Amino acid sequence: MLLLTALSCKKVVSKDGIEGTWELRHLAGGQVPGLDPNFKKGNGNKYKFEGQTYTRYEKGEITESGTFTLEKADVAINASKANARIRFSPSEDEYYINLSGNKLTIFIGIIAADGVETTYKRE
């Protein structure tokens, strides 16, 4: 009984906030010297979230799709803070994110340890 109570208290973030299409606008960490870290509108690098499914695009081509889950989190990462953790399936990738209005930041590791921080804008 105690185990069921603990499992039912898992804090889940509303998927309504992430619903929609997000296009890459900025990349921090992992850059090639001389390469602009800013991406213009129409670059084709996107995430599309619908219900419990996602589709990832690179240069307009689908590179991955499946389901995802969100959980609340409060984690300091780089010079920012994550407010949720996202888990993608079937890839089993798990990242921290900051979702705020029309801005989605995905923290792929820590920049100081060769991680990447990608920032998307809602279309």
Side-chain angles (χ1 to χ4, degrees):
M1 181 73 158
L2 180 60
L3 179 60
L4 291 176
T5 304
L7 291 175
S8 66
C9 292
K10 191 176 190 178
K11 295 179 180 177
V12 177
V13 176
S14 168
K15 290 183 173 66
D16 295 339
I18 201 166
E19 187 88 16
T21 302
W22 301 81
E23 188 172 49
L24 181 65
R25 288 294 191 270
H26 184 79
L27 173 70
Q31 285 108 317
V32 175
L35 186 66
D36 188 355
N38 298 303
F39 292 78
K40 294 180 182 177
K41 185 176 182 176
N43 64 66
N45 296 305
K46 302 178 182 185
Y47 274 98
K48 183 175 184 179
F49 296 96
E50 294 179 290
Q52 294 182 312
T53 65
Y54 76 96
T55 305
R56 182 173 172 219
Y57 300 83
E58 288 183 20
K59 297 180 182 176
E61 300 291 324
I62 295 174
T63 59
E64 186 178 318
S65 64
T67 60
F68 72 98
T69 58
L70 285 176
E71 291 179 21
K72 284 188 178 182
D74 186 16
V75 179
I77 299 178
N78 303 324
S80 192
K81 199 167 217 183
N83 58 16
R85 177 188 350 235
I86 191 166
R87 290 186 177 119
F88 294 103
S89 184
S91 69
E92 301 302 321
D93 291 336
E94 177 180 298
Y95 305 116
Y96 285 101
I97 68 170
N98 183 297
L99 179 59
S100 178
N102 289 326
K103 182 178 170 184
L104 169 66
T105 302
I106 301 176
F107 303 97
I108 304 169
I110 299 170
I111 291 175
D114 294 330
V116 177
E117 186 177 303
T118 55
T119 302
Y120 295 79
K121 184 175 181 184
R122 188 187 309 268
E123 290 190 322

